[in-house]
Amino acid sequence: MKALFTPLLCLGLLASGPAWSQDGPQLNLPRTTLSAGMRLIHAQVADTPQSRTVGLMFRREMPDNEGMLFVFEQPATQCFWMKNTLLPLTAAFVADDGTIVNLADMQPQSLDSHCSAKPVRYVLEMHQGWFAKRGIKAGARLSGPPFGK
C-alpha cells in the first residue's frame, strides 16, 4: 500500500502544479491606483509571500500604465531578479512616504540581482523605460493609498 501511495501523491502534486499553471500568470490580485505626478499607474498588489514569489513571471503582455506593487511587511534591502520573467522591466524601490529611492532596469530571464539602495517596503515594477520616458527619477514621489496619500 505504501508503494502505491507515494507515486499517487507525487502524480497528484504534479497534476495540480503551481497556482499560476491553471489560469496563466496571476492576473486577479488586488489592485490600487498610484500616481507619479500627473501619470496614473494601475498596479496589481503582491502582498503575500506567494504573490511576491510569482510576481510578473510568465506574463507575455501588460498594459502600458499597469505594473505590480510588491509590498513587504517591514523595510529591508529588497533584491529582485528576472527568472521566468518574459517582459523587460524597471523596478522602482520606494520608501514608505512614496519617494523613489532608486531605479533598476532588469532584463528578461536574467538571474542578475537588482537591489534597493536602502531598506524599503515597496517595489513597483513597470515596463522597462516607463519611468525614463516620463522623466521620473530617484527622488520623485509616488502617491496613493499605500503611501498614505
Side-chain angles (χ1 to χ4, degrees), residues 57-95:
M57 285 182 178
F58 307 105
R59 184 91 51 101
R60 295 193 181 280
E61 56 187 38
M62 183 171 67
D64 287 339
N65 291 316
E66 186 170 301
M68 184 169 284
L69 181 67
F70 295 79
V71 180
F72 296 88
E73 289 75 24
Q74 52 197 346
T77 300
Q78 307 297 344
C79 294
F80 281 59
W81 63 354
M82 297 284 284
K83 182 177 181 179
N84 298 319
T85 305
L86 308 175
L87 301 170
L89 300 171
T90 299
F93 298 95
V94 184

Side-chain angles (χ1 to χ4, degrees), residues 8-75:
L8 288 176
L9 177 62
C10 291
L11 183 59
L13 290 173
L14 288 173
S16 65
W20 48 263
S21 68
Q22 300 295 322
D23 302 314
Q26 53 186 355
L27 298 172
N28 296 316
L29 294 176
R31 294 179 176 269
T32 191
T33 300
L34 308 173
S35 61
M38 299 294 290
R39 311 284 184 182
L40 289 181
I41 299 166
H42 304 287
Q44 291 181 283
V45 179
D47 60 358
T48 66
Q50 172 64 23
S51 64
R52 289 190 301 257
T53 298
V54 176
L56 290 169
M57 285 182 178
F58 307 105
R59 184 91 51 101
R60 295 193 181 280
E61 56 187 38
M62 183 171 67
D64 287 339
N65 291 316
E66 186 170 301
M68 184 169 284
L69 181 67
F70 295 79
V71 180
F72 296 88
E73 289 75 24
Q74 52 197 346

Side-chain angles (χ1 to χ4, degrees), residues 97-113:
D97 68 354
T99 301
I100 298 174
V101 172
N102 62 298
L103 296 160
D105 286 341
M106 304 184 298
Q107 298 306 314
Q109 305 278 4
S110 171
L111 298 181
D112 294 342
S113 188

Side-chain angles (χ1 to χ4, degrees), residues 127-138:
H127 283 288
Q128 191 172 101
W130 189 93
F131 296 99
K133 287 177 190 170
R134 290 153 182 84
I136 300 168
K137 300 177 181 179

